[in-house]
């Protein structure tokens, strides 16, 4: 597959120490050679060894020196895109980068579109679609765990799992094709047993992959976490403590927070989508009542609830109401706040009901370490984490679910003794769905939608 030559600024648009111009395509090396002159050595830039940094001068479209920079080249197919690729590592002045890009355009190079470098890598067979999507996941990773999972996917972990299932199903489809071509031959009993075993194995492997979707989503997007409590329990102070700065207004007046505040933070190695809520209590104030209703909705949607109580005073009806609502969440941590004022509530009684109870002071930060440990305990690392085997992509998960459903129909049909052509239809549907995951069989509009998420220089 042959493309034209593209270029883009691969780094940020603001002032930075280093700015990179990336060029890829059949004319990449001649274009860079026209605007860049090595400082040392008699051999031209095009004759330098692959992936070797070359020091020299960058010139604008008028032939005027604009920077002293480093350049490197990689001949296709052994490059990121699979084409001849060059990079100019300049000083990060936006003016310099713009002038350098204009000089490349003067050599017949065009502006790259969003994600076009990685799209070319996919189309040229340098990576499959799961690896391409892992690139943007790695760029967008908001926690170390998410970065590790994306790096594992970039190395091909998901592709290898899918390819194993795909190859088995190709053999099954080939078997059914033979049966259809030679209809007078009957399936022997041992062959039926073997087919059932293969289908069961493939279904089990897809089930295992699909079971990682929720944890994968949590790694990528964060765990929806609601901070709830009665008025003046210290919810906003807790949010500020977790974030490390004063995001929410804190006063001694109950009902200060009247709406939900949303922020993202990592606590105990877990990415949390935190929502600070209005105090849950009965009120005649119409505005505050709307905030309380939003608090209840946030609590219902949360996968982790931090239920805050004021430990320096006896628990009242509002506190017990909050705790009762919090118990309905998937994960709940009871936080006994204001330890700096002296705790008078029965901690052991709360721990009996909420084993993850933590005593802390949102004012001083005492107990934050224990809260981090409690959050980490709610979301322990599971099998596949760190190796990239967690499905974080809803497109991939949907295709895997379609493949699983098709295989379930094939297994049921085999048990009912349906004709081979019906079984072939189901297995081919599963193969198509699996092919969509890795890119073996994917529509052009889907590909365009995937790469539109990328930045221009990637």
């Amino acid at each position: 597959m042959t493309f034209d030559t593209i270029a883009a600024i691969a780094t940020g648009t603001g002032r930075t120490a280093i700015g990179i111009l990336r060029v890829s395509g059949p004319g990449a090396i001649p274009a860079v050679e026209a605007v860049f002159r090595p400082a040392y050595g008699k051999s031209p830039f095009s004759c330098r060894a692959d992936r070797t940094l070359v020091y020299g001068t960058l010139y604008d479209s008028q032939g005027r020196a604009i920077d002293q920079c480093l350049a490197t080249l990689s001949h296709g197919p052994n490059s990121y895109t699979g084409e001849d690729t060059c990079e100019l590592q300049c000083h990060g002045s936006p003016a310099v980068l713009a002038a350098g890009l204009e000089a490349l355009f003067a050599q017949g190079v065009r502006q790259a579109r969003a994600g076009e470098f990685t799209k070319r890598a996919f189309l040229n067979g340098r990576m499959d679609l799961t690896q391409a999507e892992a690139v943007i996941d790695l760029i967008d990773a908001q926690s170390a765990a998410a970065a590790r999972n994306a790096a594992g996917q970039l190395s091909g972990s998901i592709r290898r799992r899918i390819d194993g299932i795909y190859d088995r199903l190709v053999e099954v489809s080939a078997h059914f094709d033979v049966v259809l071509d030679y209809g007078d031959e009957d399936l022997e009993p041992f062959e039926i047993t073997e087919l059932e075993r293969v289908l069961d194995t493939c279904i089990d492997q897809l089930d295992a992959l699909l079971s990682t979707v929720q944890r994968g989503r949590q790694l990528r997007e964060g765990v929806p976490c609601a901070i709830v409590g009665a008025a003046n329990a210290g919810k906003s102070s807790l949010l500020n403590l977790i974030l490390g700065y004063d995001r929410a207004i804190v006063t001694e007046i109950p009902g200060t927070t009247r709406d939900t505040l949303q922020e993202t933070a990592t606590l105990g190695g877990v990415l949390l989508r935190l929502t600070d809520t209005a105090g849950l209590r009965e009120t005649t104030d119409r505005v505050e009542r709307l905030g309380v209703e939003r608090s209840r909705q946030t609590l219902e949607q949360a996968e982790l609830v931090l239920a805050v109580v004021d430990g320096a005073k006896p628990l009242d009806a509002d506190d017990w109401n909050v705790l009762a609502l919090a118990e309905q969440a998937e994960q709940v941590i009871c936080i006994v706040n204001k330890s700096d004022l002296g705790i008078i509530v029965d901690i052991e009684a709360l721990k009996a009901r909420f084993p993850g109870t933590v005593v802390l002071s949102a004012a001083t930060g005492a107990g934050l370490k224990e809260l981090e440990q409690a959050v980490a305990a709610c979301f322990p690392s599971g099998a596949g984490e760190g190796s990239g085997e967690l499905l974080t992509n809803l497109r991939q998960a949907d295709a895997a679910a379609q493949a699983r459903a098709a295989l379930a129909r094939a297994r049921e049909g085999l048990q009912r003794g349906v004709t081979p052509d019906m079984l072939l239809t189901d297995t081919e549907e599963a193969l198509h769905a699996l092919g969509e995951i890795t890119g073996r069989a994917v529509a052009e509009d889907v590909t365009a939608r995937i790469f539109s998420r990328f930045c221009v220089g990637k």
Side-chain angles (χ1 to χ4, degrees):
M1 188 174 293
T2 303
F3 299 99
D4 56 356
T5 303
I6 57 174
I9 300 172
T11 45
T13 56
R15 293 170 56 200
T16 58
I18 302 295
I20 296 176
L21 294 171
R22 179 172 291 161
V23 193
S24 182
I29 295 175
V32 170
E33 200 165 43
V35 302
F36 172 79
R37 187 176 305 157
Y40 306 107
K42 296 182 179 180
S43 61
F45 175 69
S46 59
C47 297
R48 301 300 174 97
D50 277 17
R51 289 172 289 281
T52 299
L53 288 172
V54 181
Y55 176 69
T57 303
L58 177 64
Y59 295 87
D60 66 12
S61 58
Q62 304 301 314
R64 298 168 296 196
I66 54 173
D67 198 8
Q68 301 295 311
C69 64
L70 296 170
T72 182
L73 63 87
S74 296
H75 287 88
N78 300 314
S79 68
Y80 180 77
T81 62
E83 310 168 318
D84 289 348
T85 304
C86 300
E87 287 190 355
L88 292 161
Q89 300 182 13
C90 311
H91 292 91
S93 160
V96 167
L97 295 174
L101 195 60
E102 182 181 349
L104 290 168
F105 292 160
Q107 300 302 317
V109 178
R110 71 164 172 83
Q111 172 68 54
R113 291 183 286 270
E116 194 167 3
F117 292 98
T118 304
K119 184 176 182 179
R120 290 190 177 194
F122 164 66
L123 294 175
N124 287 325
R126 293 294 291 170
M127 60 177 65
D128 77 333
L129 208 50
T130 65
Q131 292 171 296
E133 289 177 303
V135 172
I136 193 64
D137 285 349
L138 190 56
I139 292 171
D140 290 342
Q142 299 182 65
S143 67
R148 287 192 297 269
N149 190 70
Q153 290 184 351
L154 188 56
S155 70
S157 58
I158 295 294
R159 185 203 68 225
R160 286 189 290 272
R161 294 184 70 171
I162 296 300
D163 281 352
I165 301 171
Y166 192 96
D167 293 342
R168 289 188 183 92
L169 293 181
V170 167
E171 295 177 3
V172 170
S173 294
H175 177 80
F176 288 147
D177 279 326
V178 170
V179 172
L180 289 172
D181 289 339
Y182 301 94
D184 56 334
E185 300 290 336
D186 293 328
L187 282 172
E188 297 294 334
F190 77 91
E191 292 176 324
I192 294 176
T193 302
E194 176 63 16
L195 288 172
E196 286 182 335
R197 187 191 67 79
V198 171
L199 291 174
D200 285 341
T201 299
C202 291
I203 289 172
D204 289 344
Q205 290 175 339
L206 285 172
D207 283 340
L209 188 61
L210 288 167
S211 70
T212 69
V213 171
Q214 181 180 18
R215 180 59 178 152
R217 179 185 55 76
Q218 291 171 346
L219 277 186
R220 181 182 176 186
E221 301 176 3
V223 176
C225 176
I227 303 176
V228 300
N232 220 30
K235 301 179 298 300
S236 296
S237 296
L238 177 62
L239 176 69
N240 292 341
L241 174 65
I242 294 173
L243 295 177
Y245 65 93
D246 290 342
R247 170 63 177 87
I249 297 174
V250 177
T251 74
E252 73 284 355
I253 303 171
T256 300
T257 301
R258 296 191 170 200
D259 201 354
T260 54
L261 295 177
Q262 296 182 337
E263 291 291 341
T264 301
T266 299
L267 192 65
V270 180
L271 180 65
L272 300 179
R273 298 206 320 264
L274 295 161
T275 303
D276 180 25
T277 64
L280 292 171
R281 65 172 182 172
E282 295 298 327
T283 177
T284 57
D285 185 295
R286 188 169 65 89
V287 176
E288 186 180 356
R289 192 163 62 246
L290 290 173
V292 170
E293 181 56 34
R294 286 193 179 185
S295 298
R296 293 180 184 276
Q297 293 172 359
T298 301
L299 193 153
E300 292 172 359
Q301 297 167 1
E303 295 176 14
L304 171 64
V305 171
L306 303 181
V308 185
V309 297
D310 182 348
K313 68 177 186 63
L315 301 186
D316 57 22
D318 287 338
D319 292 314
W320 290 116
N321 180 46
V322 168
L323 294 174
L325 291 172
E327 279 185 309
Q328 301 172 27
E330 294 180 32
Q331 301 282 355
V332 57
I333 298 174
C334 177
I335 298 176
V336 182
N337 190 26
K338 303 187 182 181
S339 62
D340 54 308
L341 302 180
I343 298 299
I344 65 172
V345 301
D346 189 340
I347 299 297
E348 295 307 315
L350 285 173
K351 286 185 175 180
R353 184 171 174 180
F354 302 97
T357 296
V358 173
V359 178
L360 63 68
S361 168
T364 68
L368 180 60
K369 194 69 176 179
E370 288 73 16
L371 177 58
E372 292 178 351
Q373 294 169 351
V375 171
C378 289
F379 303 96
S381 298
E385 278 192 49
S387 60
E389 295 189 354
L390 300 185
L391 268 183
T392 58
N393 186 293
L394 293 181
R395 183 196 70 83
Q396 297 171 15
D398 182 61
Q402 291 179 37
R404 200 264 183 215
L407 293 182
R409 290 195 300 271
R411 181 178 60 184
E412 181 183 352
L414 189 63
Q415 293 169 346
R416 290 191 288 108
V418 301
T419 57
D421 59 318
M422 295 298 295
L423 296 175
L424 183 60
T425 298
D426 289 328
T427 55
E428 287 184 342
E429 183 179 332
L431 282 170
H432 181 77
L434 294 174
E436 286 187 343
I437 296 176
T438 59
R440 293 195 193 200
V442 62
E444 186 176 344
D445 61 330
V446 173
T447 305
R449 188 163 60 249
I450 289 170
F451 288 104
S452 68
R453 297 172 51 214
F454 285 64
C455 55
V456 170
K458 198 62 181 177

